[in-house]
Structures are given as structure tokens and as C-alpha cells.
Amino acid sequence: MITSILNISSNTEKLSVVREFVSDAARNFGFDDETVSKISLAVDEACTNIIKHAYEYAPNKELEIKVLTNKQQFEVIITHQGKLLDPKLIKSPDMKEYLVHPRRGGLGIHLMRLLMDSVEYKIRDDKKCEVHLMKKMSTAVG
């Protein structure tokens, strides 16, 4: 298993660093450009949600972005100490209603679920929260 780690402050200006870090790792893993873009967008959405909702834009908090890979699986784990986001409480959006009454935001978790093979939220024993975003190589091709 190969591991790469990036630590950033909870500032949306750092999201470009996250996208570059994750894109490089996904490209080196062997994903095509389209899949690299999907993974990068999903991780950007997860980090944005943490900065916006878990940390409420407090710029002095930290996020750890860890990439774990093996032969067939690429996983990004984002760790933070902010409020827990319970995705079970967030319903999938009604896209017809959303298109009739467009608004900014509200699609992040739905988008992450569409772009990745799995998205999980966990609380560690030390009370830190994790978002796990996983993509398998076999589903990325074709």
C-alpha cells in the first residue's frame, strides 16, 4: 500500500493545492484524465463541505488529506476535527425541483456519490472525523 499525505489549513484558497495533490496521485495510479477530474472534483467538494459546514469557515483549523492505494483501489481519506456531517440526514436532491428553482450549493454530497465508487463518513476513537472516498481501477475504465 502506498500512502501520500497533505495537510492544509481550513481555507478555501488551499483547495487548488488539494486538487493538484489528488490529481497527481490519481494520475500516477493510472487513471485516465476524465477519472482524475472526477476524483479531484469529489475531493474538492468534500473539503469544501468540511471548511464550510464542519469548521464554519474558521481559517485556523486543519485538514489532513491522505491517499492510500493498492493494486486496484484508490482511496482518499480526509480527516478533520470539526462538526460531524451526517450524510444520512441529507436526502438526494430532487433534480426536477432543483432545475426549476436553481440555487447555489446543496449538491456536494450527491455529486461525490455519483463520481466515486463509495463515500463513507466515520468517527475515529480520538473523535476526529473522516470522509473516505474510494475509486476502484476496474470501474474507472470504460
Side-chain angles (χ1 to χ4, degrees):
M1 179 159 297
I2 298 173
T3 304
S4 302
I5 297 175
L6 172 70
N7 290 294
I8 65 164
S9 60
S10 55
N11 187 325
T12 54
E13 292 179 8
K14 301 291 185 184
L15 293 174
S16 62
V17 175
V18 174
R19 289 190 300 271
E20 184 176 329
F21 170 74
V22 170
S23 293
D24 287 347
R27 195 171 293 110
N28 289 336
F29 184 69
F31 286 121
D32 60 25
D33 288 343
E34 181 180 343
T35 305
V36 168
S37 295
K38 289 178 180 178
I39 293 169
S40 177
L41 180 57
V43 173
D44 183 290
E45 285 293 331
C47 290
T48 300
N49 283 346
I50 292 167
I51 292 168
K52 184 177 179 180
H53 300 293
Y55 283 145
E56 298 176 337
Y57 293 106
N60 59 342
K61 305 296 183 182
E62 292 186 4
L63 287 84
E64 177 187 87
I65 298 94
K66 185 185 310 181
V67 175
L68 304 174
T69 62
N70 61 30
K71 290 182 180 179
Q72 292 296 316
Q73 183 172 307
F74 183 91
E75 183 174 19
V76 179
I77 302 171
I78 306 164
T79 305
H80 66 92
Q81 294 181 294
K83 294 178 185 174
L84 173 65
L85 304 173
D86 188 350
K88 294 175 188 165
L89 299 177
I90 300 172
K91 297 177 183 174
S92 294
D94 179 344
M95 292 309 295
K96 287 183 181 178
E97 177 65 22
Y98 198 88
L99 293 173
V100 171
H101 300 100
R103 59 184 167 88
R104 187 179 179 134
L107 297 177
I109 291 176
H110 178 68
L111 186 61
M112 290 186 304
R113 289 176 177 153
L114 286 176
L115 297 173
M116 302 299 288
D117 291 328
S118 74
V119 178
E120 296 180 14
Y121 293 77
K122 299 179 181 178
I123 299 176
R124 300 187 334 194
D125 290 341
D126 62 2
K127 305 298 181 196
K128 290 184 179 178
C129 301
E130 293 181 337
V131 181
H132 293 246
L133 302 115
M134 193 268 296
K135 191 77 166 174
K136 292 182 179 176
M137 178 58 84
S138 60
T139 59
V141 178

